[in-house]
Structures are given as structure tokens and as C-alpha cells.
Amino acid sequence: MKSSVYISAEEIQVIGFSGKKIKKYASFPLPEGTMYNGTITDSAFLAECLASMKKDNPALFKRGVSLMVDGSSILSRKLITPRLNNRQYLQLVRDDFVDSIPDVDSLVCGYRKLSPENAILGCAVNKSQVDSYVATFKEAGIKLIGIHVGAELIIAYVKSKPNLQKSTVVINVLDGPTMLSMLFVKGSFIFMSRARLYGDDKEQNNEIILENLNGLIQFTQSQNLDEIRESLYLGISQADVDLLLERSTHPEISLHSLGVYRGEKEREIPPQAHFACLDMLFGKSGIELLASRHELDKYIKRKRPKKLWIPLLILYIILLALPAGWLLHEINIVENDIQEVETFINAPQTMQKMEELNDLIYRTAEYNNVLNQANALADWEGLMPPASSHIAEFIIFGHGVDVTVRSFDFNERTGIVRISAITPDARTSVHYVDALYASGLVQDVFYQGYGSGADGMVTFTIDIVLYVGGEEDGD
């Protein structure tokens, strides 16, 4: 029996299975703060909980387990790309996420081809996060044999369901206080977003869920996509979805709870165990972060210079031996010069001047310290540039040009927005850039590349340096 594990913000879920049939299910509650957005925040306590589960359910952990991970710390993005080899795809993902994790030697990357599109789903995570998964399970005495990515397996699930490939649908995955929403048009992945469910009760959270659906409706309209026909929910029961239906203002959109597993033990599996079920069904063919972690080590090793120091050392010794006599002569000359310099330095007049100079250096250091503190404060205050909502609305929707924005990524640290978009022809992309400049919202626009999609549309990626004003600008 194999096992799949998912650790949410609220509990550990373990499914034991054979083939695609569930044999056993177990869960273990977790206190708040043990896990957050896919990151382990209390590894020692989590290891104790896993060890306790293993003691109570030894058969579930006998052959090792695969782990499903999801959260905002697991970076995922659709990337338009020509056909490349494996290393080139990984380098493309590494380059695209370098703004989020600047140290490329810490970037564990993976990808999934989005057939038949000229695109991939790129995924990246900090290697320290992957290492923390491995270390925590090892401390609990559990062998971790694979780590899979939640967003990618949602795509695999939609591809396996012909009824989800006939219209525009939204798959919403509720996981404790967060919700992942993925938009599909006739089975093709288009866009994903995450929302925080910060309400104090179910009614407030339902309002946030419906507001998120309204935002996706506006997005499809602005991108001239087919209207949304279904909004499906993983992680909640049909009774909870019925409450959403009562408050929905879009009767033309069908809202339903989505059950991932159909089988003998279907009634024993709670709705919130969706990720563990997805890992059981599709994890074998998905992105595997443990393998990607080993690939990162190989990538770093390839960058290291080859061991040429032995022949270079021999050559260096030979070169030293040939001019040895000349060097000894030069050393004597230098030693005489050093003696003259030392005599000058130790002279009383020189010592007096050095004391005066040290006093000036000390005072200058004090003034520079005050100046550095003032500059550091100014730099810190300006480190995080704000970006108002009307800037994002104009870039995505309000530019008035026949350009469809496919992804929007704002880096608060640099104040740069990277977008990927499609347009009927290259000239229209120029009109789009002109519209950005004319808006007065941007300082500079830099092309990162363009290409041609399978449908004849021109794809392009640009970096936008925002003109973000402070309080004196009225924004």
C-alpha cells in the first residue's frame, strides 16, 4: 500500500491506496501556526505529530510517502515558450522567477508542458523549503519518496475530465484560510489567483468567495474570453455551496461542490482531503520537487570551475624557479626601501602628524555614521513602493488596445510589473506600450521577448517600471 500526505494549516491528511483505490484514510489535527502557505513554521512539533501518526497507523508509512504541497510560497506561473529541451525549459523557469528568489543557486525549478499550447506551467520554490520537508519527515522516521505541486495536479485533473473541457470553468480550492482559483477555457489553463479568507465566520468568507468570482468574471470579459459557465469548489461540501448559491448574483453560472474521488470509501473521505486524493490519482506523472532538488545540485556543480589547480601549480613552481636569482636581488632592494620608510614613519615629526590625522579620521567617522543612519532610514522608508489598484486595472483592462494580458506579476521590491500578453500583430503591442506611456503611470517599458502562438497570435513579455507617487501626489 502506497501513501499520499497533505499538510494543511489545520491538519495532516494521509491516504493509503493501491492503484487508484483508497484503502485507508487518517488525519491528525494541527494547532494554528504549525504550517502556513505551504511553509513549515514549527518543524519540531510537526515531526512529533507525524511520528505519532506513524505509531498509530504503521501500515500507512511502511513504504514511504509522497507529499503534496501548495501555497503562495510554491511559485507557479504560465509561461509562453517555443519548443526547448529540458535544460532550456528549466533555465527559462529559473530566469522568470529570479525576481522572487534572486539567488539562482537556491531556486528549485520544475515545469509541466501545457499541450497543445506553446506554453508551460513553471514552478519554483526555495531549496531551503524543500530541505525542511525532507528533514522534518526524516526526524519523524518517515521516508519521503516524492514531493508534488498542487496547482499542477489541478491542471491534470481537468485534463482527465471531458465534461470540464466544454466551456469556461473556474476550479476553486479552499484550504483553511486560503483559496486557490484557476480559470480554464475549454480545458486550457488561462489564469490563477489566490485569495485570503479573512472573515470571522462562514457568512463573511462566502462574501469573499463570491467577490473573487466577480473578479474572475470581469477578467474574462476584459480578455474577450467565453463567459464562465461553472464555478466548482474543492474542499467544501455541497451544503456549503448551496449557501453560496443563495447569495450569488449570477444565476447563469452553475456552482457545485467537486468530488475528486469516486470509489468504495468515498463517503469516508472528507471534502478537504482533495489534495491527498489528487496526489494519489495524478502525482506519479507530475512535477517532482525532490528530483528537481537533485537537479539543482547538478546545476550548481556544472557551474563550478574544473580542477585545473594541479597543473597550474606545477607551472607556477617552474616559473618561480627560473627567475629565483633575479627575485632575490629585487627583494634586497625592496628591503632597503622598507627600512627607509620605517625610519621616516618612526620619526617624531611623522608620529605627531599621524596623531593629528587619527583625530581627524575619528571625527570624520562620527559624521559619516550620522549621515549613513539618515541615508539608511530614507532607503528603508522608500524600499517598498505602493502600487494603487487603478494602475493594475489600467495595465490589464483599461488600456483600450487589442491586447490580452495573460499574466501579471508585481515585484514590490523593485517596483517592476512583468506581464505576458497576446495581440493580433506586433504593431498593436507597440500601441499598447504607447498607451502605457500616455497614461502617465509608468516610467519605462522594456521588452523581454516576443513570439508567435499556435493560433497565429503574437505573444510578448514586457517589464513595466511604475511611476508610483507618494502622499503628495494624491494617490
Side-chain angles (χ1 to χ4, degrees), residues 399-432:
H399 46 73
V401 181
D402 188 13
V403 169
T404 299
V405 176
R406 305 301 292 273
S407 68
F408 179 99
D409 185 22
F410 174 60
N411 189 311
E412 290 184 343
R413 182 174 63 82
T414 62
I416 294 176
V417 172
R418 170 167 289 185
I419 70 165
S420 293
I422 61 172
T423 183
D425 53 64
R427 181 175 298 175
T428 305
S429 68
V430 176
H431 295 333
Y432 175 69

PDB file of all heavy atoms in Angstrom, residues 399-432:
ATOM      1  N   HIS A 399      -6.523  49.836 -20.891  1.00  0.00           N
ATOM      2  CA  HIS A 399      -5.605  50.472 -21.842  1.00  0.00           C
ATOM      3  C   HIS A 399      -6.240  50.789 -23.191  1.00  0.00           C
ATOM      4  O   HIS A 399      -5.726  51.584 -23.968  1.00  0.00           O
ATOM      5  CB  HIS A 399      -4.380  49.578 -22.055  1.00  0.00           C
ATOM      6  CG  HIS A 399      -4.729  48.141 -22.283  1.00  0.00           C
ATOM      7  ND1 HIS A 399      -5.288  47.675 -23.442  1.00  0.00           N
ATOM      8  CD2 HIS A 399      -4.626  47.066 -21.447  1.00  0.00           C
ATOM      9  CE1 HIS A 399      -5.488  46.383 -23.365  1.00  0.00           C
ATOM     10  NE2 HIS A 399      -5.110  45.969 -22.136  1.00  0.00           N
ATOM     11  N   GLY A 400      -7.365  50.130 -23.519  1.00  0.00           N
ATOM     12  CA  GLY A 400      -8.086  50.440 -24.753  1.00  0.00           C
ATOM     13  C   GLY A 400      -7.430  49.927 -26.028  1.00  0.00           C
ATOM     14  O   GLY A 400      -7.731  50.394 -27.115  1.00  0.00           O
ATOM     15  N   VAL A 401      -6.511  48.973 -25.900  1.00  0.00           N
ATOM     16  CA  VAL A 401      -5.820  48.432 -27.073  1.00  0.00           C
ATOM     17  C   VAL A 401      -6.136  46.943 -27.165  1.00  0.00           C
ATOM     18  O   VAL A 401      -6.381  46.288 -26.159  1.00  0.00           O
ATOM     19  CB  VAL A 401      -4.289  48.635 -26.930  1.00  0.00           C
ATOM     20  CG1 VAL A 401      -3.558  48.107 -28.160  1.00  0.00           C
ATOM     21  CG2 VAL A 401      -3.999  50.120 -26.749  1.00  0.00           C
ATOM     22  N   ASP A 402      -6.129  46.393 -28.377  1.00  0.00           N
ATOM     23  CA  ASP A 402      -6.484  44.985 -28.596  1.00  0.00           C
ATOM     24  C   ASP A 402      -5.344  44.084 -28.116  1.00  0.00           C
ATOM     25  O   ASP A 402      -4.662  43.426 -28.894  1.00  0.00           O
ATOM     26  CB  ASP A 402      -6.783  44.745 -30.074  1.00  0.00           C
ATOM     27  CG  ASP A 402      -7.349  43.339 -30.286  1.00  0.00           C
ATOM     28  OD1 ASP A 402      -7.723  42.695 -29.294  1.00  0.00           O
ATOM     29  OD2 ASP A 402      -7.402  42.899 -31.437  1.00  0.00           O
ATOM     30  N   VAL A 403      -5.102  44.122 -26.806  1.00  0.00           N
ATOM     31  CA  VAL A 403      -4.055  43.320 -26.181  1.00  0.00           C
ATOM     32  C   VAL A 403      -4.681  42.568 -25.018  1.00  0.00           C
ATOM     33  O   VAL A 403      -5.399  43.151 -24.210  1.00  0.00           O
ATOM     34  CB  VAL A 403      -2.894  44.208 -25.671  1.00  0.00           C
ATOM     35  CG1 VAL A 403      -1.957  43.393 -24.797  1.00  0.00           C
ATOM     36  CG2 VAL A 403      -2.129  44.782 -26.856  1.00  0.00           C
ATOM     37  N   THR A 404      -4.404  41.280 -24.943  1.00  0.00           N
ATOM     38  CA  THR A 404      -4.945  40.438 -23.874  1.00  0.00           C
ATOM     39  C   THR A 404      -3.821  40.069 -22.909  1.00  0.00           C
ATOM     40  O   THR A 404      -2.864  39.403 -23.290  1.00  0.00           O
ATOM     41  CB  THR A 404      -5.565  39.156 -24.455  1.00  0.00           C
ATOM     42  OG1 THR A 404      -6.627  39.516 -25.330  1.00  0.00           O
ATOM     43  CG2 THR A 404      -6.125  38.290 -23.325  1.00  0.00           C
ATOM     44  N   VAL A 405      -3.923  40.534 -21.657  1.00  0.00           N
ATOM     45  CA  VAL A 405      -2.915  40.256 -20.644  1.00  0.00           C
ATOM     46  C   VAL A 405      -3.162  38.857 -20.085  1.00  0.00           C
ATOM     47  O   VAL A 405      -4.240  38.556 -19.582  1.00  0.00           O
ATOM     48  CB  VAL A 405      -2.981  41.303 -19.510  1.00  0.00           C
ATOM     49  CG1 VAL A 405      -1.983  40.945 -18.423  1.00  0.00           C
ATOM     50  CG2 VAL A 405      -2.686  42.690 -20.076  1.00  0.00           C
ATOM     51  N   ARG A 406      -2.117  37.980 -20.170  1.00  0.00           N
ATOM     52  CA  ARG A 406      -2.271  36.608 -19.703  1.00  0.00           C
ATOM     53  C   ARG A 406      -1.741  36.401 -18.292  1.00  0.00           C
ATOM     54  O   ARG A 406      -2.210  35.542 -17.573  1.00  0.00           O
ATOM     55  CB  ARG A 406      -1.525  35.646 -20.651  1.00  0.00           C
ATOM     56  CG  ARG A 406      -1.951  35.776 -22.118  1.00  0.00           C
ATOM     57  CD  ARG A 406      -3.422  35.511 -22.338  1.00  0.00           C
ATOM     58  NE  ARG A 406      -3.776  34.145 -22.097  1.00  0.00           N
ATOM     59  CZ  ARG A 406      -3.708  33.174 -22.998  1.00  0.00           C
ATOM     60  NH1 ARG A 406      -3.314  33.441 -24.224  1.00  0.00           N
ATOM     61  NH2 ARG A 406      -4.050  31.933 -22.696  1.00  0.00           N
ATOM     62  N   SER A 407      -0.754  37.178 -17.881  1.00  0.00           N
ATOM     63  CA  SER A 407      -0.250  37.067 -16.513  1.00  0.00           C
ATOM     64  C   SER A 407       0.259  38.429 -16.063  1.00  0.00           C
ATOM     65  O   SER A 407       0.744  39.221 -16.870  1.00  0.00           O
ATOM     66  CB  SER A 407       0.859  36.018 -16.410  1.00  0.00           C
ATOM     67  OG  SER A 407       2.006  36.456 -17.089  1.00  0.00           O
ATOM     68  N   PHE A 408       0.156  38.707 -14.767  1.00  0.00           N
ATOM     69  CA  PHE A 408       0.503  39.990 -14.175  1.00  0.00           C
ATOM     70  C   PHE A 408       1.272  39.704 -12.898  1.00  0.00           C
ATOM     71  O   PHE A 408       0.759  39.059 -11.997  1.00  0.00           O
ATOM     72  CB  PHE A 408      -0.795  40.753 -13.873  1.00  0.00           C
ATOM     73  CG  PHE A 408      -0.582  42.110 -13.219  1.00  0.00           C
ATOM     74  CD1 PHE A 408      -0.625  43.276 -13.972  1.00  0.00           C
ATOM     75  CD2 PHE A 408      -0.346  42.215 -11.853  1.00  0.00           C
ATOM     76  CE1 PHE A 408      -0.447  44.504 -13.374  1.00  0.00           C
ATOM     77  CE2 PHE A 408      -0.168  43.447 -11.244  1.00  0.00           C
ATOM     78  CZ  PHE A 408      -0.224  44.598 -12.025  1.00  0.00           C
ATOM     79  N   ASP A 409       2.532  40.148 -12.801  1.00  0.00           N
ATOM     80  CA  ASP A 409       3.365  39.850 -11.645  1.00  0.00           C
ATOM     81  C   ASP A 409       4.054  41.136 -11.198  1.00  0.00           C
ATOM     82  O   ASP A 409       4.880  41.676 -11.922  1.00  0.00           O
ATOM     83  CB  ASP A 409       4.391  38.779 -12.001  1.00  0.00           C
ATOM     84  CG  ASP A 409       5.193  38.374 -10.779  1.00  0.00           C
ATOM     85  OD1 ASP A 409       4.717  38.571  -9.648  1.00  0.00           O
ATOM     86  OD2 ASP A 409       6.300  37.871 -10.960  1.00  0.00           O
ATOM     87  N   PHE A 410       3.681  41.643 -10.005  1.00  0.00           N
ATOM     88  CA  PHE A 410       4.255  42.875  -9.487  1.00  0.00           C
ATOM     89  C   PHE A 410       5.274  42.556  -8.406  1.00  0.00           C
ATOM     90  O   PHE A 410       4.979  41.862  -7.459  1.00  0.00           O
ATOM     91  CB  PHE A 410       3.143  43.756  -8.917  1.00  0.00           C
ATOM     92  CG  PHE A 410       3.684  45.008  -8.228  1.00  0.00           C
ATOM     93  CD1 PHE A 410       4.443  45.929  -8.927  1.00  0.00           C
ATOM     94  CD2 PHE A 410       3.457  45.236  -6.885  1.00  0.00           C
ATOM     95  CE1 PHE A 410       4.932  47.065  -8.320  1.00  0.00           C
ATOM     96  CE2 PHE A 410       3.946  46.366  -6.265  1.00  0.00           C
ATOM     97  CZ  PHE A 410       4.680  47.275  -6.976  1.00  0.00           C
ATOM     98  N   ASN A 411       6.494  43.062  -8.590  1.00  0.00           N
ATOM     99  CA  ASN A 411       7.566  42.890  -7.622  1.00  0.00           C
ATOM    100  C   ASN A 411       7.653  44.147  -6.771  1.00  0.00           C
ATOM    101  O   ASN A 411       8.108  45.194  -7.225  1.00  0.00           O
ATOM    102  CB  ASN A 411       8.897  42.637  -8.353  1.00  0.00           C
ATOM    103  CG  ASN A 411       9.986  42.241  -7.380  1.00  0.00           C
ATOM    104  OD1 ASN A 411      10.192  42.883  -6.352  1.00  0.00           O
ATOM    105  ND2 ASN A 411      10.681  41.153  -7.696  1.00  0.00           N
ATOM    106  N   GLU A 412       7.213  44.038  -5.503  1.00  0.00           N
ATOM    107  CA  GLU A 412       7.205  45.215  -4.638  1.00  0.00           C
ATOM    108  C   GLU A 412       8.618  45.720  -4.360  1.00  0.00           C
ATOM    109  O   GLU A 412       8.825  46.901  -4.141  1.00  0.00           O
ATOM    110  CB  GLU A 412       6.502  44.870  -3.322  1.00  0.00           C
ATOM    111  CG  GLU A 412       5.003  44.650  -3.457  1.00  0.00           C
ATOM    112  CD  GLU A 412       4.338  44.404  -2.112  1.00  0.00           C
ATOM    113  OE1 GLU A 412       5.036  44.094  -1.145  1.00  0.00           O
ATOM    114  OE2 GLU A 412       3.123  44.545  -2.047  1.00  0.00           O
ATOM    115  N   ARG A 413       9.575  44.806  -4.345  1.00  0.00           N
ATOM    116  CA  ARG A 413      10.936  45.222  -4.003  1.00  0.00           C
ATOM    117  C   ARG A 413      11.524  46.134  -5.060  1.00  0.00           C
ATOM    118  O   ARG A 413      12.194  47.110  -4.757  1.00  0.00           O
ATOM    119  CB  ARG A 413      11.815  43.973  -3.808  1.00  0.00           C
ATOM    120  CG  ARG A 413      13.246  44.279  -3.410  1.00  0.00           C
ATOM    121  CD  ARG A 413      13.988  42.999  -3.097  1.00  0.00           C
ATOM    122  NE  ARG A 413      14.063  42.164  -4.275  1.00  0.00           N
ATOM    123  CZ  ARG A 413      14.952  42.309  -5.246  1.00  0.00           C
ATOM    124  NH1 ARG A 413      15.867  43.252  -5.179  1.00  0.00           N
ATOM    125  NH2 ARG A 413      14.957  41.512  -6.293  1.00  0.00           N
ATOM    126  N   THR A 414      11.286  45.810  -6.325  1.00  0.00           N
ATOM    127  CA  THR A 414      11.861  46.596  -7.424  1.00  0.00           C
ATOM    128  C   THR A 414      10.892  47.589  -8.031  1.00  0.00           C
ATOM    129  O   THR A 414      11.305  48.484  -8.775  1.00  0.00           O
ATOM    130  CB  THR A 414      12.349  45.661  -8.539  1.00  0.00           C
ATOM    131  OG1 THR A 414      11.217  44.935  -9.057  1.00  0.00           O
ATOM    132  CG2 THR A 414      13.357  44.659  -8.009  1.00  0.00           C
ATOM    133  N   GLY A 415       9.592  47.445  -7.739  1.00  0.00           N
ATOM    134  CA  GLY A 415       8.596  48.321  -8.353  1.00  0.00           C
ATOM    135  C   GLY A 415       8.375  48.034  -9.821  1.00  0.00           C
ATOM    136  O   GLY A 415       7.967  48.903 -10.563  1.00  0.00           O
ATOM    137  N   ILE A 416       8.651  46.792 -10.235  1.00  0.00           N
ATOM    138  CA  ILE A 416       8.522  46.430 -11.650  1.00  0.00           C
ATOM    139  C   ILE A 416       7.382  45.444 -11.813  1.00  0.00           C
ATOM    140  O   ILE A 416       7.255  44.505 -11.049  1.00  0.00           O
ATOM    141  CB  ILE A 416       9.831  45.822 -12.188  1.00  0.00           C
ATOM    142  CG1 ILE A 416      10.947  46.893 -12.195  1.00  0.00           C
ATOM    143  CG2 ILE A 416       9.641  45.262 -13.586  1.00  0.00           C
ATOM    144  CD1 ILE A 416      12.283  46.370 -12.621  1.00  0.00           C
ATOM    145  N   VAL A 417       6.560  45.697 -12.828  1.00  0.00           N
ATOM    146  CA  VAL A 417       5.480  44.781 -13.189  1.00  0.00           C
ATOM    147  C   VAL A 417       5.901  44.024 -14.438  1.00  0.00           C
ATOM    148  O   VAL A 417       6.297  44.628 -15.426  1.00  0.00           O
ATOM    149  CB  VAL A 417       4.162  45.537 -13.468  1.00  0.00           C
ATOM    150  CG1 VAL A 417       3.105  44.576 -14.024  1.00  0.00           C
ATOM    151  CG2 VAL A 417       3.643  46.182 -12.196  1.00  0.00           C
ATOM    152  N   ARG A 418       5.860  42.705 -14.348  1.00  0.00           N
ATOM    153  CA  ARG A 418       6.108  41.886 -15.542  1.00  0.00           C
ATOM    154  C   ARG A 418       4.785  41.319 -16.021  1.00  0.00           C
ATOM    155  O   ARG A 418       4.064  40.702 -15.242  1.00  0.00           O
ATOM    156  CB  ARG A 418       7.085  40.756 -15.236  1.00  0.00           C
ATOM    157  CG  ARG A 418       7.195  39.724 -16.380  1.00  0.00           C
ATOM    158  CD  ARG A 418       8.360  38.796 -16.209  1.00  0.00           C
ATOM    159  NE  ARG A 418       9.634  39.493 -16.438  1.00  0.00           N
ATOM    160  CZ  ARG A 418      10.814  38.908 -16.443  1.00  0.00           C
ATOM    161  NH1 ARG A 418      10.901  37.610 -16.262  1.00  0.00           N
ATOM    162  NH2 ARG A 418      11.923  39.609 -16.636  1.00  0.00           N
ATOM    163  N   ILE A 419       4.465  41.546 -17.286  1.00  0.00           N
ATOM    164  CA  ILE A 419       3.245  40.977 -17.850  1.00  0.00           C
ATOM    165  C   ILE A 419       3.586  40.168 -19.091  1.00  0.00           C
ATOM    166  O   ILE A 419       4.562  40.447 -19.781  1.00  0.00           O
ATOM    167  CB  ILE A 419       2.203  42.067 -18.201  1.00  0.00           C
ATOM    168  CG1 ILE A 419       2.678  42.906 -19.403  1.00  0.00           C
ATOM    169  CG2 ILE A 419       1.875  42.945 -17.030  1.00  0.00           C
ATOM    170  CD1 ILE A 419       1.590  43.735 -20.035  1.00  0.00           C
ATOM    171  N   SER A 420       2.765  39.137 -19.302  1.00  0.00           N
ATOM    172  CA  SER A 420       2.803  38.376 -20.545  1.00  0.00           C
ATOM    173  C   SER A 420       1.454  38.565 -21.216  1.00  0.00           C
ATOM    174  O   SER A 420       0.414  38.497 -20.553  1.00  0.00           O
ATOM    175  CB  SER A 420       3.047  36.890 -20.272  1.00  0.00           C
ATOM    176  OG  SER A 420       4.334  36.704 -19.760  1.00  0.00           O
ATOM    177  N   ALA A 421       1.454  38.820 -22.527  1.00  0.00           N
ATOM    178  CA  ALA A 421       0.208  39.156 -23.211  1.00  0.00           C
ATOM    179  C   ALA A 421       0.236  38.630 -24.637  1.00  0.00           C
ATOM    180  O   ALA A 421       1.277  38.213 -25.151  1.00  0.00           O
ATOM    181  CB  ALA A 421      -0.011  40.667 -23.209  1.00  0.00           C
ATOM    182  N   ILE A 422      -0.946  38.645 -25.267  1.00  0.00           N
ATOM    183  CA  ILE A 422      -1.046  38.269 -26.671  1.00  0.00           C
ATOM    184  C   ILE A 422      -1.755  39.369 -27.434  1.00  0.00           C
ATOM    185  O   ILE A 422      -2.537  40.140 -26.854  1.00  0.00           O
ATOM    186  CB  ILE A 422      -1.787  36.935 -26.841  1.00  0.00           C
ATOM    187  CG1 ILE A 422      -3.232  37.072 -26.294  1.00  0.00           C
ATOM    188  CG2 ILE A 422      -1.078  35.801 -26.172  1.00  0.00           C
ATOM    189  CD1 ILE A 422      -4.095  35.865 -26.582  1.00  0.00           C
ATOM    190  N   THR A 423      -1.476  39.464 -28.736  1.00  0.00           N
ATOM    191  CA  THR A 423      -2.070  40.503 -29.576  1.00  0.00           C
ATOM    192  C   THR A 423      -2.092  39.994 -31.015  1.00  0.00           C
ATOM    193  O   THR A 423      -1.304  39.098 -31.373  1.00  0.00           O
ATOM    194  CB  THR A 423      -1.245  41.801 -29.458  1.00  0.00           C
ATOM    195  OG1 THR A 423      -1.870  42.823 -30.234  1.00  0.00           O
ATOM    196  CG2 THR A 423       0.168  41.588 -29.935  1.00  0.00           C
ATOM    197  N   PRO A 424      -2.987  40.521 -31.840  1.00  0.00           N
ATOM    198  CA  PRO A 424      -3.061  40.014 -33.219  1.00  0.00           C
ATOM    199  C   PRO A 424      -1.786  40.250 -34.027  1.00  0.00           C
ATOM    200  O   PRO A 424      -1.422  39.468 -34.868  1.00  0.00           O
ATOM    201  CB  PRO A 424      -4.242  40.793 -33.807  1.00  0.00           C
ATOM    202  CG  PRO A 424      -5.066  41.185 -32.640  1.00  0.00           C
ATOM    203  CD  PRO A 424      -4.110  41.425 -31.538  1.00  0.00           C
ATOM    204  N   ASP A 425      -1.088  41.357 -33.763  1.00  0.00           N
ATOM    205  CA  ASP A 425       0.124  41.608 -34.519  1.00  0.00           C
ATOM    206  C   ASP A 425       1.084  42.444 -33.686  1.00  0.00           C
ATOM    207  O   ASP A 425       0.710  42.999 -32.647  1.00  0.00           O
ATOM    208  CB  ASP A 425      -0.191  42.333 -35.848  1.00  0.00           C
ATOM    209  CG  ASP A 425      -1.022  43.601 -35.622  1.00  0.00           C
ATOM    210  OD1 ASP A 425      -0.496  44.528 -34.962  1.00  0.00           O
ATOM    211  OD2 ASP A 425      -2.170  43.640 -36.054  1.00  0.00           O
ATOM    212  N   ALA A 426       2.343  42.510 -34.116  1.00  0.00           N
ATOM    213  CA  ALA A 426       3.382  43.189 -33.345  1.00  0.00           C
ATOM    214  C   ALA A 426       3.113  44.686 -33.251  1.00  0.00           C
ATOM    215  O   ALA A 426       3.449  45.327 -32.265  1.00  0.00           O
ATOM    216  CB  ALA A 426       4.747  42.940 -33.993  1.00  0.00           C
ATOM    217  N   ARG A 427       2.492  45.272 -34.279  1.00  0.00           N
ATOM    218  CA  ARG A 427       2.232  46.717 -34.233  1.00  0.00           C
ATOM    219  C   ARG A 427       1.312  47.076 -33.079  1.00  0.00           C
ATOM    220  O   ARG A 427       1.481  48.105 -32.437  1.00  0.00           O
ATOM    221  CB  ARG A 427       1.617  47.160 -35.557  1.00  0.00           C
ATOM    222  CG  ARG A 427       1.321  48.679 -35.635  1.00  0.00           C
ATOM    223  CD  ARG A 427       0.821  49.100 -37.016  1.00  0.00           C
ATOM    224  NE  ARG A 427       1.828  48.844 -38.038  1.00  0.00           N
ATOM    225  CZ  ARG A 427       1.615  49.029 -39.317  1.00  0.00           C
ATOM    226  NH1 ARG A 427       0.450  49.482 -39.753  1.00  0.00           N
ATOM    227  NH2 ARG A 427       2.573  48.763 -40.202  1.00  0.00           N
ATOM    228  N   THR A 428       0.343  46.224 -32.813  1.00  0.00           N
ATOM    229  CA  THR A 428      -0.592  46.508 -31.725  1.00  0.00           C
ATOM    230  C   THR A 428       0.124  46.518 -30.381  1.00  0.00           C
ATOM    231  O   THR A 428      -0.216  47.290 -29.489  1.00  0.00           O
ATOM    232  CB  THR A 428      -1.719  45.453 -31.708  1.00  0.00           C
ATOM    233  OG1 THR A 428      -2.343  45.423 -32.995  1.00  0.00           O
ATOM    234  CG2 THR A 428      -2.753  45.800 -30.662  1.00  0.00           C
ATOM    235  N   SER A 429       1.153  45.660 -30.214  1.00  0.00           N
ATOM    236  CA  SER A 429       1.905  45.686 -28.954  1.00  0.00           C
ATOM    237  C   SER A 429       2.592  47.032 -28.765  1.00  0.00           C
ATOM    238  O   SER A 429       2.739  47.527 -27.654  1.00  0.00           O
ATOM    239  CB  SER A 429       2.925  44.551 -28.943  1.00  0.00           C
ATOM    240  OG  SER A 429       3.935  44.782 -29.912  1.00  0.00           O
ATOM    241  N   VAL A 430       3.026  47.652 -29.882  1.00  0.00           N
ATOM    242  CA  VAL A 430       3.639  48.985 -29.805  1.00  0.00           C
ATOM    243  C   VAL A 430       2.594  50.015 -29.366  1.00  0.00           C
ATOM    244  O   VAL A 430       2.874  50.904 -28.551  1.00  0.00           O
ATOM    245  CB  VAL A 430       4.241  49.374 -31.171  1.00  0.00           C
ATOM    246  CG1 VAL A 430       4.795  50.798 -31.134  1.00  0.00           C
ATOM    247  CG2 VAL A 430       5.340  48.403 -31.552  1.00  0.00           C
ATOM    248  N   HIS A 431       1.365  49.887 -29.917  1.00  0.00           N
ATOM    249  CA  HIS A 431       0.292  50.800 -29.483  1.00  0.00           C
ATOM    250  C   HIS A 431       0.026  50.638 -27.991  1.00  0.00           C
ATOM    251  O   HIS A 431      -0.273  51.614 -27.292  1.00  0.00           O
ATOM    252  CB  HIS A 431      -0.984  50.504 -30.273  1.00  0.00           C
ATOM    253  CG  HIS A 431      -0.858  50.806 -31.762  1.00  0.00           C
ATOM    254  ND1 HIS A 431       0.016  51.763 -32.271  1.00  0.00           N
ATOM    255  CD2 HIS A 431      -1.507  50.251 -32.838  1.00  0.00           C
ATOM    256  CE1 HIS A 431      -0.079  51.791 -33.605  1.00  0.00           C
ATOM    257  NE2 HIS A 431      -1.004  50.880 -33.973  1.00  0.00           N
ATOM    258  N   TYR A 432       0.117  49.405 -27.521  1.00  0.00           N
ATOM    259  CA  TYR A 432      -0.115  49.161 -26.097  1.00  0.00           C
ATOM    260  C   TYR A 432       0.944  49.872 -25.242  1.00  0.00           C
ATOM    261  O   TYR A 432       0.638  50.508 -24.238  1.00  0.00           O
ATOM    262  CB  TYR A 432      -0.096  47.654 -25.849  1.00  0.00           C
ATOM    263  CG  TYR A 432      -0.200  47.271 -24.405  1.00  0.00           C
ATOM    264  CD1 TYR A 432      -1.368  47.470 -23.696  1.00  0.00           C
ATOM    265  CD2 TYR A 432       0.890  46.692 -23.741  1.00  0.00           C
ATOM    266  CE1 TYR A 432      -1.466  47.110 -22.368  1.00  0.00           C
ATOM    267  CE2 TYR A 432       0.796  46.330 -22.423  1.00  0.00           C
ATOM    268  CZ  TYR A 432      -0.378  46.533 -21.734  1.00  0.00           C
ATOM    269  OH  TYR A 432      -0.469  46.179 -20.428  1.00  0.00           O
TER     270      TYR A 432
END
